[in-house]
Amino acid sequence: DAKTTQPPSMDCAEGRAANLPCNHSTISGNEYVYWYRQIHSQGPQYIIHGLKNNETNEMASLIITEDRKSSTLILPHATLRDTAVYYCIVRVAYGDSSYKLIFGSGTRLLVRP
Amino acid sequence: DAGVIQSPRHEVTEMGQEVTLRCKPISGHDYLFWYRQTMMRGLELLIYFNNNVPIDDSGMPEDRFSAKMPNASFSTLKIQPSEPRDSAVYFCASSPRAGGRVHFGPGTRLTVT
């Protein structure tokens, strides 16, 4: 299973962009990168996912390097409500098309007023 | 859409008692997952189902834990007998297909005294 490495904690100022890095150097060609976040003790919330190309949605942007060994989640204008633990996950796929999301320890993002 | 529904939200029980956690996935979702979260071990996948059939239960800690999915709209996670080290937040999640977004419920906080 491809492993991910994230910094344990980061902080940024409210209104500024938050750039959260993730290393996944052993990722396979057909494995996706997913990002989830967990606010306080709520259930994890889906943010975005991608395979090769950069992706953007209403919540964030995902930048994946050309060699796919790392990625960056960008929250363009962080707010206090974005304070959460952010998980970078490589989706493990199996022969029957089933898959598992395996969570690591994530990055604790603190958005400062 | 009510999202994934879990009950109870909080459960306090004494060591040795049987505990049953319940989950109603999002209608139309084929996959159902049970996760456990503790401070020490983070988010762990316990078991997941595809079309009501258990696919992978390798994360179930021991024989005291069992999970069932009698139909597409209901699943249970049972612990018998419960132990203090089972204290954790248990999340149920569902997704519409392999590779689809995984939607998490609010969790059940279990305390075993």
Side-chain angles (χ1 to χ4, degrees):
Chain A
D1 298 353
K3 296 289 191 290
T4 62
T5 303
Q6 299 177 254
S9 64
M10 295 181 63
D11 68 80
C12 74
E14 186 179 18
R16 307 298 291 265
N19 297 286
L20 291 86
C22 179
N23 287 323
H24 32 76
S25 58
T26 61
I27 192 170
S28 299
N30 62 348
E31 291 181 321
Y32 286 76
V33 179
Y34 277 72
W35 283 83
Y36 279 75
R37 73 180 182 183
Q38 188 173 25
I39 297 174
H40 194 41
S41 56
Q42 299 177 20
Q45 176 191 23
Y46 168 86
I47 301 174
I48 198 167
H49 74 280
L51 183 63
K52 295 180 181 178
N53 300 321
N54 298 336
E55 302 287 343
T56 296
N57 63 21
E58 66 279 3
M59 290 182 69
S61 295
L62 175 60
I63 308 298
I64 302 174
T65 58
E66 190 169 345
D67 62 8
R68 303 211 322 123
K69 292 185 177 181
S70 65
S71 60
T72 300
L73 178 74
I74 301 172
L75 307 179
H77 305 287
T79 70
L80 299 179
R81 288 176 294 179
D82 292 323
T83 291
V85 178
Y86 287 77
Y87 297 97
C88 169
I89 304 161
V90 172
R91 191 194 81 192
V92 180
Y94 292 92
D96 64 351
S97 298
S98 299
Y99 73 101
K100 300 197 290 191
L101 284 179
I102 306 300
F103 287 79
S105 54
T107 295
R108 186 173 298 277
L109 175 68
L110 173 65
V111 180
R112 296 177 278 103
Chain B
D1 185 353
V4 176
I5 299 173
Q6 292 187 246
S7 64
R9 293 295 307 278
H10 302 273
E11 177 79 36
V12 180
T13 190
E14 291 184 347
M15 177 178 171
Q17 296 297 307
E18 177 180 295
V19 175
T20 299
L21 310 181
R22 297 174 175 78
C23 174
K24 176 179 170 55
I26 294 173
S27 178
H29 283 195
D30 294 332
Y31 288 82
L32 184 139
F33 308 81
W34 281 102
Y35 284 83
R36 177 175 70 175
Q37 186 171 34
T38 61
M39 288 291 292
M40 290 295 293
R41 301 175 67 90
L43 267 164
E44 303 173 276
L45 177 64
L46 301 178
I47 185 172
Y48 76 96
F49 296 81
N50 179 19
N51 290 320
N52 314 338
V53 176
I55 300 300
D56 185 343
D57 64 354
S58 59
M60 295 287 263
E62 48 198 275
D63 292 346
R64 297 185 297 106
F65 285 70
S66 63
K68 294 182 179 180
M69 192 165 185
N71 57 62
S73 59
F74 184 65
S75 177
T76 59
L77 179 66
K78 185 176 295 185
I79 308 172
Q80 167 64 21
S82 58
E83 297 182 3
R85 58 191 168 124
D86 301 330
S87 297
V89 180
Y90 290 81
F91 290 103
C92 177
S94 68
S95 73
R97 56 179 172 78
R101 298 180 188 181
V102 178
H103 299 253
F104 284 78
T108 294
R109 181 174 297 276
L110 173 65
T111 302
V112 183
T113 60

